[in-house]
Amino acid sequence: MSKSAKAMYEIWLSPTQANDELLIRSGRPNERTMLMPPAKPAEGLESFNEIATIRVELEDIEPPIWREMEAPTSMTLKALHETIQQLMGWCDYHLWEFSDENYRYIPPVDDMDWGDKPCRKAGSVRLRDICKDDKTVLTYVYDFGDDWRMNVSVTDIRQGDPDTSYPRYLGGERAAPPEDCGGVPGFYELLDAYGDPEHPDHEEVREWLDERDPHFFDELPIKYALLRIANRRNAARKRLRPKAT
């Protein structure tokens, strides 16, 4: 593998995943690496610059709570999970998974055999490995207690602007539910109590929210968070650009 391809391949790997890859290359796979072969590295700057439009929307909530971004298809599903956490203002406290019609894509855990579909490591699967030409739809579940479910639509795969940093926030509506509020029913109850000074739980809810307004949606922290993620890719992208002779 060339140095440029290697840099691009490893930019989305965590230290644990990078160690897995070293074990694979040395011929000594551990339990995690036995689950599936390593993801294919992209070849060259053109593949590294490929992007898609990604829209995430919470299920069973009206009016809709959604976010949209442009993101590289070289992103692993683990990196997509981390980016969605930033889009929603969550703190990554809980277990999560993606799924499609064939597989469940999950973080490394001791027991990977729950559910009715075979599992793949989310850190070893890139968006481009599972994307279809027109539209790909994934289900993202976060916090198996509150059971937040999101539709993740991946569309419009294309070459990105080489002078633009990705992922890039495009837009969204409404603040996300706070973590550990009890899922969709608890979220609606929280909004009712917050908005009604006569509600018996009004003061308790306001104290629990620490004076945060559950209706206020601030996009600026999302833009900054995605910019930080994008900046981590820029160093690798610079290495891929041909050097002037």
Side-chain angles (χ1 to χ4, degrees):
M1 183 187 301
S2 68
K3 289 184 179 180
S4 60
K6 182 176 183 292
M8 173 198 52
Y9 179 43
E10 292 179 347
I11 192 65
W12 288 104
L13 291 179
S14 69
T16 299
Q17 295 155 1
N19 182 59
D20 285 349
E21 298 302 320
L22 289 173
L23 287 168
I24 290 171
R25 294 168 193 163
S26 66
R28 296 182 289 107
N30 60 13
E31 289 181 1
R32 290 191 299 272
T33 60
M34 291 293 288
L35 292 172
M36 61 172 290
K40 297 180 293 184
E43 296 297 337
L45 186 61
E46 181 177 338
S47 183
F48 189 65
N49 283 339
E50 185 180 78
I51 65 169
T53 299
I54 300 177
R55 179 186 173 99
V56 296
E57 183 174 326
L58 275 163
E59 294 183 0
D60 303 320
I61 290 182
E62 291 292 340
I65 297 174
W66 61 273
R67 308 284 185 266
E68 194 166 273
M69 66 176 175
E70 295 172 325
T73 61
S74 59
M75 176 184 283
T76 67
L77 295 186
K78 180 178 183 298
L80 177 59
H81 151 73
E82 294 166 351
T83 307
I84 291 175
Q85 290 289 302
Q86 300 296 331
L87 288 172
M88 306 308 290
W90 291 336
C91 298
D92 201 2
Y93 291 144
H94 303 285
L95 288 174
W96 53 272
E97 70 171 33
F98 291 96
S99 62
D100 58 19
E101 63 270 22
N102 298 314
Y103 294 98
R104 294 169 50 247
Y105 307 94
I106 66 177
V109 293
D110 292 335
D111 182 7
M112 304 181 71
D113 293 330
W114 74 82
D116 58 354
K117 296 177 182 177
C119 298
R120 301 177 71 180
K121 291 189 302 177
S124 298
V125 179
R126 299 177 186 274
L127 275 173
R128 65 166 172 260
D129 296 333
I130 60 174
C131 281
K132 301 172 183 176
D133 291 337
D134 51 353
K135 181 178 182 179
T136 301
V137 178
L138 300 170
T139 298
Y140 172 67
V141 181
Y142 174 65
D143 184 355
F144 296 150
D146 279 6
D147 197 33
W148 300 112
R149 293 178 173 269
M150 304 184 74
N151 291 317
V152 181
S153 299
V154 184
T155 59
D156 193 17
I157 297 173
R158 62 202 184 276
Q159 284 296 300
D161 181 350
D163 296 321
T164 299
S165 297
Y166 301 101
R168 183 174 68 160
Y169 177 72
L170 296 179
E173 288 186 337
R174 303 186 67 215
E179 297 213 48
D180 300 319
C181 70
V184 173
F187 180 50
Y188 280 127
E189 291 172 6
L190 179 146
L191 293 179
D192 288 343
Y194 181 87
D196 181 5
E198 303 300 321
H199 194 286
D201 297 328
H202 178 73
E203 292 302 325
E204 180 181 349
V205 164
R206 289 184 65 89
E207 181 179 354
W208 185 77
L209 288 170
D210 194 23
E211 300 306 317
R212 291 173 297 167
D213 183 347
H215 298 287
F216 177 65
F217 176 36
D218 187 0
E219 295 180 294
L220 191 59
I222 298 175
K223 294 177 181 179
Y224 282 142
L226 264 62
L227 183 59
R228 287 194 297 269
I229 295 172
N231 285 340
R232 294 204 298 264
R233 300 183 69 248
N234 286 342
R237 182 167 64 177
K238 288 178 182 177
R239 293 188 207 117
L240 286 172
R241 286 176 173 168
K243 294 182 179 180
T245 56

